Amino acid sequence: MSQKLLFGFHAVSVRLKTAPQSVREIYADMTRHDQRMRRFLEQAANAGVRIIESDAARLEKMAKTHRHQGVVAAVEELTQTKSLDDLLDAVEGPPLLLVLDSVTDPHNLGACLRVADGAGAHAVIAPKDHAVGINATVAKVASGAADTVPYFMVTNLARTLGELKERNIWCVGTSDDASQSLYEADLKMPLALVLGAEGPGMRQLTRKSCDLLVSIPMKGAVESLNVSVASGICLYEALRQRS
């Protein structure tokens, strides 16, 4: 089984909680003696994971960033046990999906996964050739949500949207030039919210595959929002309506 690195307290702690058997070893900066590190090391010890004492320079080299918080873990890749079809077959109530088109920045994807987890989205979907995969930076920014929210990378996004519509899942895209506001749309139905990257937005074929386009009202000087912020607004509006 392939191995990857996770770094940061949230990402590693969630993996210890959800799949401790997949954590091979943890490299920790033992010069940190604060309560947060002590609690983390206690969690790792309770899970039976080997701790390797390391310094900040080694951890920065492993994580390729100084934002590792003194913790880097070598973990096994978790295999996705369900296909998208299997997941949708098991959903109780109306599905809530987040579809990301052309989102290639790992920080944006990580933030989108975190928002999707918070709003209770059942999965995040992205195209294989216009998206970033799950890497250590995504996992760090997602604060554990990379392990809790299913992330499906599909070969043909337009075809996948068509298959969702065959399941009576309404595909609602966001666009600055849409005539209808997000807050005027009925989001209580089985729903896939489709968002593009900041700037270029959705690709034309993705846009044409949507059942409805809505806009997020902008009252200030800026023309658009970061995709993770827009995802949060859309998902939580759907959650508000469903509640």
Side-chain angles (χ1 to χ4, degrees):
M1 185 174 288
S2 60
Q3 178 177 291
K4 69 175 184 178
L5 296 177
L6 296 178
F7 61 86
F9 285 114
H10 281 299
V12 181
S13 291
V14 169
R15 179 60 71 90
L16 283 170
K17 182 178 179 180
T18 58
Q21 72 284 353
S22 70
V23 184
R24 295 182 177 178
E25 53 200 17
I26 292 173
Y27 300 81
D29 182 359
M30 293 304 192
T31 63
R32 283 194 60 162
H33 301 294
D34 54 279
Q35 185 177 5
R36 191 176 192 187
M37 179 62 84
R38 290 198 299 272
R39 287 201 305 265
F40 173 80
L41 293 176
E42 182 179 351
Q43 181 188 13
N46 290 338
V49 177
R50 182 165 71 110
I51 308 293
I52 299 174
E53 185 172 348
S54 304
D55 57 29
R58 182 183 185 186
L59 296 176
E60 185 170 338
K61 185 176 180 180
M62 294 174 70
K64 296 181 174 59
T65 176
H66 65 280
R67 302 179 68 181
H68 48 72
Q69 300 179 310
V71 173
V72 177
V75 302
E76 296 173 356
E77 291 271 15
L78 294 179
T79 55
Q80 199 134 270
T81 56
K82 290 184 177 180
S83 67
L84 179 57
D85 281 332
D86 290 339
L87 182 142
L88 292 172
D89 287 341
V91 169
E92 296 182 4
L96 177 59
L97 307 172
L98 177 63
V99 180
L100 301 174
D101 188 23
S102 303
V103 175
T104 58
D105 182 85
H107 294 87
N108 279 337
L109 175 59
C112 287
L113 288 169
R114 187 171 185 176
V115 167
D117 179 275
H122 296 102
V124 175
I125 302 169
K128 287 181 179 178
D129 56 348
H130 290 272
V132 62
I134 302 293
N135 57 31
T137 300
V138 172
K140 167 67 167 58
V141 177
S143 296
D147 283 341
T148 59
V149 179
Y151 181 58
F152 295 98
M153 300 187 77
V154 299
T155 303
N156 187 314
L157 185 58
R159 183 191 307 142
T160 298
L161 293 178
E163 292 168 352
L164 293 179
K165 289 194 280 188
E166 289 175 3
R167 285 178 168 268
N168 295 318
I169 295 174
W170 196 248
C171 295
V172 177
T174 58
S175 176
D176 295 339
D177 59 5
S179 59
Q180 184 173 350
S181 163
L182 168 73
Y183 303 114
E184 297 170 328
D186 180 2
L187 305 180
K188 297 186 291 294
M189 65 189 74
L191 181 67
L193 289 163
V194 188
L195 289 88
E198 185 179 3
M202 293 180 288
R203 290 172 293 164
Q204 268 308 113
L205 188 54
T206 305
R207 181 186 175 102
K208 290 179 180 178
S209 300
C210 292
D211 296 298
L212 174 70
L213 294 177
V214 297
S215 63
I216 297 173
M218 302 294 292
K219 301 300 184 182
V222 299
E223 295 181 355
S224 63
L225 298 172
N226 177 280
V227 64
S228 62
V229 175
S231 295
I233 292 170
C234 293
L235 285 168
Y236 273 89
E237 173 59 15
L239 181 61
R240 184 194 69 81
Q241 291 189 19
R242 293 169 181 220
S243 299

